[in-house]
Amino acid sequence: MGLAWAAGVALGTFASSTYFLSRKPRSPDSISESEENKATAQILEQIDRQFTITPSKLQEIFHYFIKEMERGLTPEGSSMKMIPAFLKSIASGSEMGSFLALDLGGTNFRVVRVLLEGQGRIRTNQKKFVVSDELKTGDGEKLFDFFADCVSEFMKEFSMDVKETYSLGFTFSFPVKQLSISSGLLMEWTKGFSASGVVGKDIVKIIEASFQKKGLKIKVTALVNDTVGTMIAETYKDANCVAGVILGTGTNAAYIEKVSSITKWEGEDKTGDMVINMEWGGFDDHKKVLPVTSYDLELDNSSINRGAQIYEKMISGMYLGEITRLAVADLVRKKLLFGGKISTKFETRYKFETEYMSRIERDHSSDLNDTKSVLEDIMEIPFTSLQDRRIVKRICEVVAIRAARLSAIGIAGITSKIGRLHGCTIAIDGSVFERYPHFSNRMRDAFVELFGMQADNIRMVLTGDGSGVGAGLIAAIASKTQ
Ligand code: GLC
């Protein structure tokens, strides 16, 4: 069965395509090649059609996003939790002192010592620990005991006196219902965590109990989300910063809102500003406007938080590789790729990492050599043709472009809602934003589609180590006000 025929049968008939991968003059010898190109073009068109967010769709999602933000601030609530972070003041740049910070993001756990020297100057020491899947999904108490062990090891390594009392800021990057700046209940786990006995409990009490068991005199003075930490770290240097965004293993944002707009806020003081942890990963969990494909549904169905965090599952690093894997595996099953042959590794969930997509997108060689090495050497696909590799590369592109455009919608939603289109800084952290090729340019393209020339007024800055430094800073701000 010819490839062109198979493609026609499996995908239906399409209008003429814009993808011409080879422009050699037509000769009897090149007929089969041109047939193959036609088939490839049809496959690519089908893939494109599923993943493309057109300018009008972009507008539609953008308007719905703002509505959901607004609804989330009312007692009615919305798909985004829009959690008040109990933080009213941002960093002034003059905070000083030495603080400890913990950072549990997704893949790693970090202990950081933050030395604030004033005038925006900061020094840090830090140590990273890997949280095993066993700890992530096992007994909650063991997970927090592990964190206390890490702190103890860190203090020894940096010769810190364990008898002294330290203030600590804990960046805990999961949905937490804040009760105060230094207490909060875990609402649900995300990003592959499911440790037992933690949901519904106060995270600070759990970690302080583990510290006590190890004889550590540590007082948690701030419990913060990574988005909040990232924003605060940037405000230490730039007073124009209005939001913090994470585009990494997971995705989320925090921003500064007027208390008077938060109608669900029951606190006495209704004046001034309040930092909001949006938990935007939950945006449109009912799939009203998000352009979900069959691959997104498949990913969601087999995830441990089925039906939740759909927006996050279309954007963040934990999932992009998996969406791509599912799309590629589908084409192999339809015998449109790799001669219909796949490997056990490629068929295994989450084995195709987002990092491989970055490598493939960076591969500009004429025969896509590095793509070949990812597919054949790492993913153990027995054989790939150049056409195969072009198709895989295009799938990576469309999946990542969609992710970039969706994340741009979130930032556009914030800046537009708070009326800062005339100028603002957005602090961003996370491996996808930092390392995925073209990600920020693709976001910019979406800003331009939404705002025209005003798009230039949105300044995105990579705020490395927002979670560590930010938690230390908030611990400093909190100790001033407590
Ligand atoms: C997940 C968490 C959220 C966090 C984000 C980025 O979406 O629920 O709290 O900010 O990941 O790490």
Side-chain angles (χ1 to χ4, degrees):
M1 191 202 307
L3 185 58
W5 187 84
V9 169
L11 305 169
T13 331
F14 300 103
S16 72
S17 167
T18 42
Y19 298 97
F20 293 101
L21 298 171
S22 150
R23 290 192 179 274
K24 281 184 198 158
R26 197 178 163 93
S27 72
D29 282 352
S30 65
I31 284 178
S32 68
E33 194 181 329
S34 94
E35 289 282 290
E36 203 170 304
N37 284 345
K38 216 165 122 201
T40 305
Q42 286 183 339
I43 298 168
L44 292 175
E45 188 172 327
Q46 161 83 341
I47 288 288
D48 267 18
R49 195 181 303 164
Q50 293 187 72
F51 284 95
T52 300
I53 299 180
T54 60
S56 66
K57 186 70 184 168
L58 193 79
Q59 289 281 352
E60 184 195 347
I61 308 173
F62 166 67
H63 290 297
Y64 187 64
F65 190 92
I66 296 178
K67 272 205 192 125
E68 285 292 272
M69 280 181 80
E70 282 164 353
R71 229 152 49 87
L73 295 172
T74 70
E76 183 196 352
S78 81
S79 57
M80 289 187 275
K81 295 186 171 72
M82 307 295 283
I83 308 165
F86 284 75
L87 191 63
K88 295 201 69 169
S89 49
I90 55 171
S92 65
S94 63
E95 290 80 3
M96 313 247 292
S98 164
F99 297 86
L100 270 175
L102 303 186
D103 174 22
L104 178 64
T107 325
N108 297 308
F109 174 72
R110 284 183 317 143
V111 184
V112 188
R113 181 163 61 170
V114 184
L115 203 64
L116 304 173
E117 301 180 321
Q119 294 172 336
R121 278 199 311 266
I122 301 168
R123 275 191 296 145
T124 58
N125 308 109
Q126 56 173 295
K127 200 170 158 72
K128 226 184 227 179
F129 302 84
V130 175
V131 187
S132 67
D133 283 345
E134 211 181 327
L135 281 168
K136 283 183 191 168
T137 55
D139 174 43
E141 197 177 325
K142 284 212 183 95
L143 177 68
F144 284 77
D145 286 350
F146 165 76
F147 297 153
D149 282 335
C150 298
V151 174
S152 182
E153 193 180 315
F154 177 91
M155 290 176 81
K156 260 189 225 126
E157 189 170 328
F158 290 94
S159 315
M160 293 171 74
D161 185 357
V162 280
K163 282 185 228 95
E164 226 180 276
T165 307
Y166 293 93
S167 285
L168 178 144
F170 189 2
T171 305
F172 184 77
S173 304
F174 297 90
V176 163
K177 182 171 170 31
Q178 296 274 160
L179 302 174
S180 71
I181 184 67
S182 56
S183 59
L185 314 176
L186 175 63
M187 301 168 87
E188 65 196 16
W189 284 117
T190 49
K191 298 179 285 194
F193 278 70
S194 63
S196 61
V198 190
V199 172
K201 303 268 173 60
D202 185 348
I203 296 304
V204 173
K205 284 205 180 117
I206 304 181
I207 187 85
E208 283 190 344
S210 295
F211 286 152
Q212 237 167 23
K213 270 194 245 168
K214 311 276 163 202
L216 299 173
K217 290 192 185 158
I218 295 175
K219 177 103 196 82
V220 180
T221 53
L223 176 67
V224 286
N225 189 260
D226 49 357
T227 55
V228 178
T230 298
M231 183 180 86
I232 296 295
E234 189 60 33
T235 61
Y236 197 61
K237 295 176 277 177
D238 176 358
N240 234 348
C241 176
V242 292
V245 174
I246 300 292
L247 291 165
T249 307
T251 184
N252 186 17
Y255 75 104
I256 304 170
E257 183 57 273
K258 283 197 197 64
V259 179
S260 58
S261 303
I262 315 170
T263 53
K264 69 178 179 186
W265 174 247
E266 288 172 352
E268 298 207 331
D269 185 1
K270 311 265 190 227
T271 61
D273 293 330
M274 167 69 75
V275 177
I276 297 283
N277 166 17
M278 297 174 68
E279 288 297 327
W280 82 12
F283 168 62
D284 196 26
D285 272 352
H286 299 298
K287 310 182 188 81
K288 283 199 182 127
V289 290
L290 286 175
V292 285
T293 63
S294 56
Y295 309 120
D296 298 301
L297 294 178
E298 198 177 338
L299 180 149
D300 180 42
N301 276 334
S302 51
S303 68
I304 61 171
N305 56 346
R306 186 176 171 173
Q309 304 290 100
I310 304 296
Y311 184 65
E312 175 164 85
K313 286 172 181 161
M314 296 170 86
I315 292 180
S316 73
M318 177 159 175
Y319 306 103
L320 294 183
E322 180 64 1
I323 302 171
T324 305
R325 188 191 70 81
L326 289 169
V328 170
D330 182 41
L331 293 185
V332 182
R333 226 172 292 123
K334 290 175 178 157
K335 301 214 174 350
L336 302 173
L337 268 181
F338 311 152
K341 293 203 182 65
I342 205 163
S343 63
T344 313
K345 187 158 182 193
F346 207 98
E347 281 193 303
T348 313
R349 273 193 213 136
Y350 293 96
K351 279 284 181 222
F352 187 76
E353 296 172 16
T354 304
E355 176 57 32
Y356 304 154
M357 294 171 67
S358 303
R359 269 181 68 178
I360 292 174
E361 282 227 48
R362 255 187 233 114
D363 183 3
H364 297 294
S365 61
S366 58
D367 50 0
L368 297 182
N369 241 325
D370 200 34
T371 306
K372 183 172 159 67
S373 135
V374 168
L375 294 172
E376 297 182 15
D377 302 341
I378 302 180
M379 295 309 298
E380 297 163 7
I381 302 285
F383 171 80
T384 63
S385 68
L386 180 55
Q387 301 281 37
D388 288 336
R389 302 197 285 273
R390 283 179 176 151
I391 293 173
V392 172
K393 183 167 183 185
R394 182 62 189 160
I395 296 175
C396 293
E397 274 166 20
V398 291
V399 169
I401 290 173
R402 187 185 68 166
R405 290 169 77 74
L406 286 174
S407 29
I409 288 174
I411 293 177
I414 297 174
T415 38
S416 173
K417 155 120 191 21
I418 61 174
R420 287 299 296 259
L421 271 174
H422 56 275
C424 62
T425 301
I426 310 288
I428 312 187
D429 200 359
S431 49
V432 171
F433 184 76
E434 189 178 356
R435 292 203 292 270
Y436 198 99
H438 321 299
F439 205 85
S440 62
N441 286 339
R442 290 165 175 171
M443 289 174 77
R444 284 231 150 270
D445 290 345
F447 291 153
V448 172
E449 279 169 47
L450 290 169
F451 302 136
M453 301 249 286
Q454 276 187 309
D456 286 348
N457 300 338
I458 305 175
R459 192 176 151 253
M460 296 191 284
V461 289
L462 177 71
T463 306
D465 193 25
S467 341
V469 169
L473 264 168
I474 298 169
I477 299 170
S479 352
K480 260 199 314 202
T481 52
Q482 270 168 13

